Amino acid sequence: MPILKLPGLIDPHVHLREPGAPHKETWDTGTAAALAGGFTCVLDMPNNTPPVVDATALSAKDRVAREHARCDYGFHLGANEENAADTAALAPYTVGLKMYLDQTFGPLKMEGLGALIAHARAWHPDHPLLCHAEGRTIAAAILAAHLAGRAIHICHVSRKDEIELIRAAKEQGIRVTCEVTPHHLFLTDADIPAIGPGRAEVRPRLATAADRDALRANLTIVDCFATDHAPHTLPEKDSENPPPGFPGLETALPLYLALVDAGLLTLNGLIERVVTNPRRIFGLPEQTETWVEVDTAAVWQVHGADLFTRARWSPFEGWTMRGGVTRVVLNGKDAFRDGTIVAAPGSGRNVRKSINEMSLRGAS
Ligand code: NCD
Ligand code: ZN
């Protein structure tokens, strides 16, 4: 059995849904999915119900994650039209400030240019600022950050024009980084009928083959891979009003390895995009005594019902994958072994200070 040993993977963009929507995913099931996929650290997005835009919501998420996470984790804080003056105080407890500048799932979309500029100025210059932006909005976000003298990270870039704009900005020395998802690297709008129209809803939308090819041709510009693991239940996806989003934690690594097999990326280039660059961009601690073992010859078929995610479906249903995670060691202990989650809920660690620990200390 040819075993490939990798450092623990980091996913800088997941939606674990708790608090607010535990029927879609919980910290328990979502971090089990992460470990099964080879991820030992996940950074969770703020579009919960209620959204994580203040200390109260952050401390509620911190409490549930601390009790239930099976792998290491961090929290992105959400920007809204009102909180620009208040976010900096929460920076020590978060891994980044997320701005939703285009429409997606959740209530956090900011309409105004003013709010974008205010957050770019107010958020701590050394803490990551990231955004969901598409098309022309990407140009606005890059310029607002540049004028504020700071870096910005563009989430889930999906189109040719966008990656080429980011390339041009980087070539000018502008401080912009970006991530792409496995689904935008492997699926296109031609796959929508086979996936089904509701299930195929995702933001950014599945794009054209030319867009996918442009992402693949510009991997040198792509700093990170991110799953954007965004679980919704099948009844929700198959409903009249399907919410956008795909589960992705358990199918990502074999797809990333397929890019290496196809000669689009070296193995070191993959490790940069799933470990080294996310760690640098989001200022994450090194995970010691932490690694992943992958049987590179293992061939398996994706069946949603077999996955650890509570969503139990995949846009890659029926795909044949090569590469199976056989073992994950996290912080010196087995966390996943031969198909079984070993790490206990609550064994994961917050990569930042816990806001609750701080207020407990402050109160004593
Ligand atoms: C995400 C979700 O469901 O939370 N959906 C999605 O289509 N990607 C929100 C997001 O990341 O835009
Ligand atoms: Zn997302």
Side-chain angles (χ1 to χ4, degrees), residues 132-164:
H132 171 188
E134 299 185 39
R136 288 181 286 187
T137 318
I138 293 183
I142 292 173
L143 184 65
H146 181 65
L147 294 177
R150 60 161 313 121
I152 191 162
H153 178 79
I154 314 291
C155 296
H156 41 50
V157 175
S158 64
R159 298 191 194 94
K160 179 173 189 286
D161 293 345
E162 298 168 352
I163 196 71
E164 289 178 352

Side-chain angles (χ1 to χ4, degrees), residues 13-15 45 47 98 100 156 203 228-230:
H13 187 150
V14 302
H15 301 264
M45 286 292 163
N47 61 335
K98 171 82 181 277
Y100 287 87
H156 41 50
R203 298 294 176 275
D228 191 11
H229 178 82

Side-chain angles (χ1 to χ4, degrees), residues 79-86 110 119:
N80 69 15
E81 307 263 0
E82 282 87 44
N83 70 354
D86 305 322
M110 296 195 294
H119 280 290

Side-chain angles (χ1 to χ4, degrees), residues 100-251:
Y100 287 87
L101 303 175
D102 282 300
Q103 193 53 53
T104 184
F105 183 70
L108 281 173
K109 186 186 170 199
M110 296 195 294
E111 296 293 336
L113 176 61
L116 164 58
I117 292 172
H119 280 290
R121 286 185 180 152
W123 183 237
H124 193 292
D126 298 333
H127 286 263
L129 178 68
L130 50 161
C131 65
H132 171 188
E134 299 185 39
R136 288 181 286 187
T137 318
I138 293 183
I142 292 173
L143 184 65
H146 181 65
L147 294 177
R150 60 161 313 121
I152 191 162
H153 178 79
I154 314 291
C155 296
H156 41 50
V157 175
S158 64
R159 298 191 194 94
K160 179 173 189 286
D161 293 345
E162 298 168 352
I163 196 71
E164 289 178 352
L165 180 78
I166 293 167
R167 172 181 283 279
K170 284 190 177 201
E171 284 169 0
Q172 294 286 324
I174 292 174
R175 291 161 66 203
V176 55
T177 55
C178 69
E179 66 188 35
V180 298
T181 69
H183 47 274
H184 292 118
L185 287 164
F186 282 88
L187 298 172
T188 69
D189 53 7
D191 295 302
I192 294 173
I195 298 169
R199 296 187 193 190
E201 282 291 345
V202 67
R203 298 294 176 275
R205 290 188 164 82
L206 295 179
T208 65
D211 290 316
R212 178 204 55 197
D213 294 347
L215 297 180
R216 289 177 165 223
N218 284 284
L219 286 180
T220 52
I221 293 304
V222 173
D223 299 277
C224 309
F225 293 150
T227 65
D228 191 11
H229 178 82
H232 300 283
T233 66
L234 273 181
E236 290 166 342
K237 294 295 284 182
D238 292 339
S239 73
E240 289 285 286
N241 194 13
F246 295 161
L249 282 165
E250 291 163 85
T251 45

Side-chain angles (χ1 to χ4, degrees), residues 27 60-70 73 75 346 348:
W27 279 89
K61 184 181 276 190
D62 181 74
R63 273 194 298 276
V64 61
R66 187 214 276 255
E67 204 176 319
H68 296 288
R70 301 173 189 261
Y73 57 90
F75 310 124

Side-chain angles (χ1 to χ4, degrees), residues 335-350:
F336 175 83
R337 191 108 201 217
D338 300 324
T340 303
I341 306 289
V342 183
S347 58
R349 298 160 298 179
N350 190 334

